[in-house]
């Protein structure tokens, strides 16, 4: 089939229909920047900058040692395709949401207005802020600063902060994440006093006004900011607060130690709980809530910083294993179309869960040093994240499906979400994802490289970027040139101001059996797949490190014995011809339905082998045409149908059509196909 036509057709249609009123123009910042680009920006309000705010800070004793630490926000700038992707975000809703969505508009409670005063302002800022600095965009910086200045300049007399319209702990947990990033970018001297006053207030208030509902399930996200502040002030009251948050917070580790939720959640049970009033917020509806579970992936590693226990640090692996075993999807996520939904690839996963899982894994990778978490992070970042947006990032889905044969208002097999949940639009189903998606790409960018506890640097995930940091007291710039994950070569060039010896750690993905590493053209020993290779030497300006990964097409077994195909960090899907229909106009953007225009019910044979082909890298690689395709033989499976716009669960061992020939299916990266089959039934062998 002519998959190129399908893809060209979609873009042409979107262009013709004018979804993006303010037609985004891709700008190609060459990505070159001087170390001076990281110099402090003078904070507003006449305040001064704290000293060495852009240094790497590891948690001090008695907090546990950890192998890696994130570099300060702003130390890593995107280049190459990643910069172009972030520019797409900025040219789409990422940079314009406040102009078209009142919830983060001029009347936001986080600007002192009477509008939305809960989580949406902080969610938006959590991504807008790092995006603005990564692109060095003055208009976006000033958008972000308005919210932050209002927040920093309007604390309550008792130490609380934020809009006076509510005193909920939860939205403040999000804003704390924003303030820590802002301090790392600017050293603004208002941040640390405000956070200290707030935590002292909370320490004395929590016994009488304990964590509840969302805040109780998401306590670990606040703990990240508490540890951040302790690492800068060593105020012993912060350790007391850390322990109180854990004591009042939900016991995620306990839930997964004996994991009871092994099947698609029954919506009737949820409704019954909801009917019981407040019990809903304390019980099953929150335990099996997808976004809560995504945020909970950081709970044990972050708590291990305080407890010092190896068992806490390692618990995240069991958590991931349970989610994979009972709810795993081929795009790297677990199903949760609001609530955990089993392994059927026609179930959905919410965009908030995607970006929150990424953020959790970024922290878990730093705290555990486990290379497999980097593999997982990349699978989500390169597949599930871009796979749920339109190419121009002016519209997104609430729920995406790995087997997504239609995006329409038909009823879906969701646990509890509504009929709009997999439309592409401004705020389909509910606006949390509209506010929260912004952190996905910028925080991924910010975690590509990390500092190591022994004074070196670690490549945690791969994408084109530049790093400016200080290693063992020596200012150092590093360029990482690559078209990964669409190509398998990475070239790193180091520019220390003067020669400096330190270990460089390079993540070797679990799927790369024979990785080649060269330093200045000379081969060095690689490490086992799924670990970090270490190159320790004296580095001087112009030294290069070249990596060549060894990716192969792999058929992974999934739900009902189905097969999904991967090549390195990318998951591949059969694209279905897309007919985009604008349902309604929404300010600067629109809500869309997408109907299938080609056959999708194909199966593959057991042992089917896929063959990879490279094609030119387009400007926006997730928008197509595909820079990499896999060819695999498939056969029509007429009994596999769709009901109400959702593909039936992949049948186990179906029969192939007897009167139709086998055909070569051209699979494209998951995110390139907005209608797609990702899990293929494995056809019964003729008896
Ligand atoms: Zn959401």
């Amino acid at each position: 089939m002519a998959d190129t036509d399908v893809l060209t057709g979609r873009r042409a249609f979107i262009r013709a229909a004018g979804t993006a009123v303010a037609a985004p123009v891709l700008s190609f910042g060459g990505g070159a920047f001087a170390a001076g680009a990281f110099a402090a920006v003078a904070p507003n309000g006449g305040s001064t900058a704290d000293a060495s705010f852009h240094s790497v800070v590891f948690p001090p004793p008695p907090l546990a040692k950890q192998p890696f630490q994130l570099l300060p926000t702003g130390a890593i700038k995107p280049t190459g395709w990643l910069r172009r992707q972030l520019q797409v975000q900025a040219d789409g809703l990422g940079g314009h949401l406040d102009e078209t969505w009142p919830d983060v508009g001029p009347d936001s409670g986080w600007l002192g207005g009477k509008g939305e005063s809960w989580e949406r302002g902080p969610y938006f800022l959590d991504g807008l802020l790092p995006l603005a600095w990564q692109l060095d965009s003055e208009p976006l910086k000033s958008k972000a600063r308005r919210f932050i200045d209002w927040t920093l300049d309007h604390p309550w007399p008792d130490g609380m902060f934020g809009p006076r319209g509510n005193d909920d702990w939860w939205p403040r947990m999000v804003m704390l994440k924003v303030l820590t990033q802002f301090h790392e970018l600017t050293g603004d001297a208002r941040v640390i006093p405000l956070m200290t006053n707030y935590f002292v207030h909370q320490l004395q208030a929590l016994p009488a006004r304990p964590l509840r509902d969302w805040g109780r399930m998401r306590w670990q996200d606040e703990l990240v900011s508490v540890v951040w502040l302790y690492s800068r002030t060593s105020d012993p009251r912060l350790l007391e607060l850390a322990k109180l948050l854990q004591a009042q917070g939900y016991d995620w580790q306990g839930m997964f130690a004996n994991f009871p939720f092994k099947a698609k959640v029954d919506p009737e049970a949820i409704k019954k709980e909801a009917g019981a009033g407040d019990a809903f917020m304390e019980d099953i509806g929150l335990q099996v809530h997808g976004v809560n579970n995504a945020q909970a992936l950081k709970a044990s590693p972050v708590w291990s910083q305080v407890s010092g226990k190896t068992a806490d640090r390692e618990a995240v692996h069991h958590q991931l294993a349970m989610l994979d075993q009972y709810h795993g999807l081929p795009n790297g996520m677990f199903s949760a179309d609001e609530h955990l939904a089993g392994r059927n690839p026609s179930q959905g996963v919410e965009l908030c869960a995607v970006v929150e899982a990424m953020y959790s894994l970024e922290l878990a990778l730093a705290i555990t040093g486990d290379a497999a978490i980097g593999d997982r992070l990349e699978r989500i970042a390169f597949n599930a994240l871009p796979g749920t947006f339109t190419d121009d990032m002016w519209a997104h889905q609430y729920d995406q499906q790995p087997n997504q044969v239609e995006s329409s208002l038909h009823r879906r097999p969701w646990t509890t979400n509504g009929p709009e949940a997999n439309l592409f639009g401004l705020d389909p189903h509910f606006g949390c994802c509209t506010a929260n998606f912004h952190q996905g790409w910028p925080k991924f960018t910010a975690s590509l490289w990390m500092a190591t506890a022994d004074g070196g640097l670690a490549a945690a995930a791969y994408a084109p970027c530049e790093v400016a940091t200080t290693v063992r007291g020596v200012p150092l710039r590093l360029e990482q040139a690559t078209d990964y994950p669409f190509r398998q070569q990475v070239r790193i060039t180091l520019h220390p101001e003067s020669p400096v010896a330190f270990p460089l750690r390079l993540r070797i993905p679990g799927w790369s059996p024979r990785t080649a590493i060269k330093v200045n053209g000379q081969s060095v020993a690689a490490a086992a797949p799924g670990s970090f290779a270490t190159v320790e030497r004296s580095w001087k300006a112009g030294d290069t490190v070249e990596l060549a990964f060894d990716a192969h097409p792999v058929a992974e077994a999934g739900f009902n014995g189905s097969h999904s195909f991967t090549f390195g960090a990318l998951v591949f899907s059969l694209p279905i011809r897309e007919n985009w229909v604008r349902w309604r106009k929404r300010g600067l953007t629109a809500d869309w339905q997408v109907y299938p225009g080609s056959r999708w019910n194909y199966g593959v044979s057991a042992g089917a082998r896929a063959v990879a082909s490279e094609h030119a890298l387009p400007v926006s690689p997730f928008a197509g045409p595909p820079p990499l395709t896999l060819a695999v033989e498939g056969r029509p499976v007429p009994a596999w149908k769709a009901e109400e716009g959702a593909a039936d669960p992949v049948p186990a061992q179906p029969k192939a059509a007897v009167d139709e020939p086998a055909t070569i299916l051209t699979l494209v990266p998951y995110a390139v196909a907005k209608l797609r089959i990702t899990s293929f039934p494995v056809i019964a062998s003729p008896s």
Side-chain angles (χ1 to χ4, degrees):
M1 60 178 287
D3 55 279
T4 324
D5 290 344
V6 174
L7 297 160
T8 314
R10 175 173 86 235
R11 270 186 309 285
F13 180 79
I14 290 175
R15 259 198 307 276
T19 176
V21 174
V25 178
L26 287 176
S27 68
F28 297 88
F33 65 97
F38 293 98
V41 178
N44 283 358
S47 46
T48 54
D50 294 335
S52 51
F53 59 87
H54 50 351
S55 312
V56 176
V57 185
F58 277 84
L63 297 178
K65 287 198 167 83
Q66 61 189 61
F68 303 151
Q69 177 63 299
L70 292 166
L71 297 174
T73 307
I76 304 175
K77 301 263 190 198
T79 59
W81 73 257
L82 182 60
R83 184 181 172 89
R84 300 197 293 273
Q85 185 65 43
L86 285 175
Q87 192 64 52
V88 168
Q89 178 169 330
D91 291 341
L93 275 182
H96 297 282
L97 184 61
D98 57 314
E99 297 161 26
T100 199
W101 202 54
D103 283 9
V104 297
D107 204 29
S108 163
W110 292 91
L111 290 170
K114 299 237 177 298
E116 209 273 350
S117 297
W118 198 49
E119 66 185 13
R120 292 186 178 178
Y123 268 162
F124 178 45
L125 269 287
D126 197 22
L128 175 66
L129 178 73
L131 178 72
W133 262 262
Q134 284 164 351
L135 293 176
D136 206 16
S137 160
E138 289 306 328
L140 295 192
K141 285 180 188 177
S142 64
K143 277 189 185 196
R145 275 182 179 281
R146 287 179 59 220
F147 289 86
I148 292 166
D149 283 335
W150 182 86
T151 303
L152 290 172
D153 291 339
H154 294 83
W156 303 17
D158 63 0
M160 276 289 275
F161 72 93
R164 297 299 184 98
N166 72 76
D167 62 1
D168 190 353
W169 303 119
W170 156 242
R172 293 166 172 86
M173 294 179 180
V174 184
M175 200 59 178
L176 288 165
K177 293 193 291 176
V178 177
L179 295 178
T180 59
Q181 293 178 79
F182 184 64
H183 189 269
E184 290 174 359
L185 288 165
T186 65
D188 190 296
R190 296 169 294 176
V191 172
I192 285 177
L194 180 124
M195 286 178 66
T196 303
N197 292 342
Y198 175 68
F199 289 145
V200 169
H201 166 76
Q202 198 183 27
L203 183 61
Q204 56 84 22
L206 273 177
R209 197 163 73 77
L211 298 179
R212 62 180 175 86
D213 51 69
W214 303 111
R216 175 170 167 263
M217 309 310 281
R218 299 170 176 181
W219 60 277
Q220 63 279 346
D221 281 74
E222 177 168 339
L223 189 53
V224 176
S225 297
V226 174
V227 167
W228 182 93
L229 188 60
Y230 183 81
S231 303
R232 283 155 180 81
T233 65
S234 295
D235 184 337
R237 293 172 297 184
L238 296 172
L239 299 183
E240 270 181 72
L241 176 62
K243 289 168 188 162
L244 188 55
L245 289 170
Q246 190 262 353
Q248 288 193 358
Y250 183 67
D251 180 9
W252 288 107
Q253 201 171 325
M255 172 177 130
F256 278 92
N258 188 10
F259 188 58
F261 304 113
K262 297 183 175 172
K264 179 177 174 178
V265 164
D266 172 12
E268 292 308 312
I270 297 275
K271 274 189 210 140
K272 231 157 124 191
E273 294 282 346
D278 282 344
F280 164 71
M281 298 304 276
E282 295 297 332
D283 214 326
I284 185 170
L286 294 183
Q287 293 172 336
V288 294
H289 186 268
V291 184
N292 285 350
N293 274 273
Q295 294 187 233
L297 289 170
K298 74 176 76 60
S300 294
V302 172
W303 173 241
S304 79
Q305 295 177 299
V306 180
S307 77
K309 289 186 183 152
T310 309
D312 293 336
R313 194 177 60 226
E314 302 295 324
V316 60
H317 302 300
H318 179 67
Q319 212 166 332
L320 282 166
M322 289 292 97
L323 289 170
D324 280 348
Q325 185 175 344
Y326 299 109
H327 305 284
L329 296 176
N331 56 17
M333 286 297 301
F334 51 87
S335 68
D337 31 36
E338 202 68 22
H339 300 94
L340 297 177
R343 298 198 66 184
N344 170 7
S346 295
Q347 296 297 146
V349 59
E350 182 187 336
L351 175 51
C352 279
V354 170
V355 295
E356 293 290 357
M358 287 174 60
Y359 175 57
S360 290
L361 293 170
E362 288 153 11
L363 295 172
L365 176 51
I367 295 167
T368 64
D370 182 358
I373 293 179
D375 291 8
R376 172 70 64 125
L377 171 62
E378 287 184 353
R379 181 173 287 206
I380 298 172
F382 298 144
N383 300 284
L385 177 65
T388 199
F389 286 95
T390 51
D391 299 341
D392 57 13
M393 292 187 80
W394 273 97
H396 69 273
Q397 298 172 291
Y398 189 90
D399 285 327
Q400 65 178 298
Q401 300 158 291
N403 282 357
Q404 183 162 277
V405 301
E406 182 177 304
S407 297
S408 72
L409 286 162
H410 274 129
R411 189 179 58 79
R412 297 280 147 165
W414 316 135
T415 47
T416 46
N417 285 154
E420 287 185 29
N422 92 330
L423 299 187
F424 288 84
L426 171 65
D427 54 3
H429 180 68
F430 190 69
C432 52
C433 307
T434 309
N436 194 10
F437 79 74
H438 308 265
Q439 65 171 317
W441 283 119
K443 287 195 186 164
F444 177 71
T445 302
S447 56
L448 293 171
W449 281 83
M450 297 185 186
T452 68
D454 54 3
L457 287 173
Y462 295 100
C465 67
E466 296 191 3
V467 182
T469 187
T470 298
V471 178
R472 300 192 174 178
V474 178
L476 175 143
R477 203 162 55 78
L478 177 157
E479 294 158 11
Q480 179 160 283
T482 183
D483 290 329
Y484 183 93
F486 313 100
R487 301 289 187 267
Q488 303 307 316
Q489 296 76 30
V490 179
R491 182 183 173 90
I492 300 159
T493 310
L494 294 95
H495 302 278
E497 261 186 26
S498 57
V500 55
F502 66 88
L504 194 72
R505 300 193 197 283
L506 306 161
R507 190 182 114 258
I508 310 298
W511 45 258
S512 176
R514 283 173 299 276
T515 301
I517 305 178
K518 286 182 181 173
V519 176
N520 294 334
Q522 302 284 314
S523 292
V524 300
S531 69
F532 279 84
T534 302
V535 185
E536 186 150 18
R537 69 199 303 274
S538 178
W539 300 98
K540 60 181 193 318
D543 281 349
T544 59
V545 177
E546 290 164 284
L547 290 154
F549 299 119
D550 183 27
H552 301 273
V554 173
E556 295 184 1
F559 177 79
N560 266 355
S562 61
H563 279 182
S564 303
F565 294 89
T566 65
F567 184 86
L570 292 171
V571 178
F572 282 76
S573 306
L574 175 70
I576 302 169
R577 186 181 298 271
E578 299 162 9
N579 297 313
W580 289 72
V581 179
R582 193 168 79 179
W583 176 40
R584 55 182 182 178
K585 181 127 184 58
R586 302 296 310 278
L588 294 175
T589 182
D591 291 341
W592 298 88
Q593 301 188 70
V594 194
Y595 288 92
S598 62
R599 182 169 199 164
W600 53 265
N601 53 351
Y602 292 95
V604 298
S605 307
R609 294 174 68 92
V611 178
S613 310
E614 288 185 353
H615 315 279
L617 194 78
V619 171
S620 289
F622 294 113
L628 201 56
T629 54
L630 295 185
V632 65
E633 189 180 271
R635 301 184 73 92
V637 176
W640 188 21
K641 294 191 159 67
E643 190 182 345
E644 301 265 11
D648 288 342
V650 187
Q653 301 224 305
K655 288 194 167 53
V658 288
D659 53 349
E660 293 181 273
T663 183
I664 298 298
L665 306 176
T666 301
L667 312 187
V668 304
Y670 178 97
V672 174
K674 306 308 179 194
L675 293 185
R676 61 178 94 91
I677 291 296
T678 309
S679 295
F680 296 87
V682 173
I683 292 163
S685 39
S687 50

